[in-house]
Amino acid sequence: MDLDLGQVRAFVGVADHLHFGRAAEDLEISQQAVSKRIAALERSLGAALFTRGTVRLTEAGRRFLEPAREALRAADAARDAVHAGARPLRLDVWGHLYGPARTVGPVVDERPGLAVELGMSRDLPAAAAALLRGDIDAAFGRVHPPLPDGLAHRLVRLEPVDLLVGAGHPLASAAAVRPSELAGRELWFPAAVDRLDFIKRFCDAFGARAASGGANLGVDHLLADLRADPGRITLFPADAPLPDIPGIRAVPIVEPTPLYAWSLMWPRQSPHPVVPALVRAFAERGRRRRWLDYDPDRDWLPADPA
């Protein structure tokens, strides 16, 4: 028996909404057409996929859902592959405060043949969802568990992290600080703490506390806040250029040095044809720049680096 992809698409739509009418709106067909497609699919499979009345997936429907999604992704990828050579790879970045484009830009610029369109995602969950929907072809940022099934990723850079302080802070005169010296101190970030996996893990490992407030309005705003409040400190990538704002000091963190992990992520099934070349380009620049140097006696990574 061959699956009818129109019927499968109707099934996934209803499974997503648990509502025939809203699924019909998304699919831009009538509710009657959705009902007919679901009924035909159930007859073909010989099993009910939904309960009627209150719409719920049956046990058979729950088992069928993920393979159905995979079938649709494969069909969409097959369709897109015909025209893939004619369109650039759509690459989203996240972790904007830490400047992901600093790493992506030079890699792409070194390979003029790589047709890449750069966009932005809010965070890892948003980038992962966009990849699974097919809205983008690849994404770049810090990848950490849990990661949805169907996505592949490659670690491409480990970047040392400094402590940023205002000139009036007691640590501003230090040549370097150890993570243990931050125990009990509050690390401030202009973003919701529950979205900062690296910071949470660092604080758990070394006894610091994470605090957040206000909106992420960029590096200039972050540094202005540090300068205005001598009690505030934060973490920032060591290789990221800082705006010329007087009164801010970057202090190296040593014994161990925390490393921020940057990764490239893409759909496991039928990736865009440019993805392998992009992975190679990251690997080649990484080897030259020693982006993946790591010494467990000198450096620190979370227990499950991605």
Side-chain angles (χ1 to χ4, degrees):
M1 180 200 73
D2 292 329
L3 288 175
D4 182 310
L5 291 178
Q7 296 172 2
V8 174
R9 205 173 295 278
F11 163 76
V12 171
V14 175
D16 285 341
H17 293 285
L18 293 178
H19 192 281
F20 280 72
R22 287 193 288 272
E25 290 175 8
D26 278 357
L27 295 168
E28 298 182 341
I29 59 177
S30 69
Q31 184 171 335
Q32 184 181 25
V34 170
S35 297
K36 287 183 176 180
R37 291 182 185 186
I38 296 296
L41 180 60
E42 290 177 324
R43 286 195 299 273
S44 298
L45 294 172
L49 301 174
F50 296 102
T51 61
R52 298 315 196 255
T54 300
V55 180
R56 293 285 184 271
L57 284 165
T58 63
E59 181 59 33
R62 285 191 289 272
R63 291 195 302 270
F64 184 60
L65 181 56
E66 186 52 36
R69 292 191 195 280
E70 292 179 7
L72 292 179
R73 285 196 291 265
D76 290 344
R79 179 200 61 211
D80 291 346
V82 175
H83 306 289
R87 70 163 176 82
L89 177 141
R90 301 161 299 180
L91 173 66
D92 268 18
V93 298
W94 75 93
H96 307 295
L97 187 65
Y98 282 2
R102 293 179 298 111
T103 298
V104 174
V107 170
V108 174
D109 290 345
E110 281 185 349
R111 300 290 186 90
L114 292 180
V116 175
E117 288 181 350
L118 201 61
M120 293 187 179
S121 282
R122 179 173 177 267
D123 50 22
L124 171 59
L131 285 169
L132 292 174
R133 289 194 306 267
D135 294 343
I136 58 175
D137 305 304
F140 179 85
R142 183 173 183 273
V143 174
H144 56 83
L147 196 64
D149 291 339
L151 298 179
H153 61 89
R154 175 75 61 86
L155 177 66
V156 299
R157 185 177 189 181
L158 295 172
E159 184 172 14
V161 172
D162 283 345
L163 183 73
L164 288 190
V165 299
H169 195 277
L171 294 175
S173 60
V177 298
R178 296 179 177 86
S180 58
E181 296 177 67
L182 302 179
R185 297 183 184 269
E186 192 170 84
L187 299 174
W188 184 81
F189 300 89
V193 172
D194 60 3
R195 292 173 51 202
L196 303 174
D197 179 83
F198 176 81
I199 301 306
K200 288 191 295 182
R201 291 175 185 272
F202 179 89
C203 289
D204 289 345
F206 299 108
R209 301 192 308 272
S212 64
N216 179 3
L217 301 178
V219 177
D220 287 353
H221 190 264
L222 169 68
L223 299 185
D225 282 344
L226 291 179
R227 186 182 181 189
D229 185 346
R232 283 185 175 176
I233 60 177
T234 193
L235 302 183
F236 203 75
D239 296 337
L242 295 174
D244 187 15
I245 297 180
I248 299 297
R249 174 93 199 284
V251 182
I253 303 176
V254 299
E255 299 179 2
T257 295
L259 301 177
Y260 193 86
W262 297 101
S263 294
L264 186 68
M265 182 170 64
W266 64 92
R268 192 179 300 278
Q269 296 293 326
S270 304
H272 188 286
V274 172
V275 165
L278 186 60
V279 172
R280 289 194 298 271
F282 271 108
E284 290 170 9
R285 186 172 180 87
R287 281 193 294 270
R288 296 198 308 272
R289 299 298 180 111
R290 303 173 66 91
W291 275 353
L292 292 178
D293 281 6
Y294 170 66
D295 181 345
D297 295 326
R298 178 194 66 201
D299 303 318
W300 176 83
L301 282 169
D304 51 359

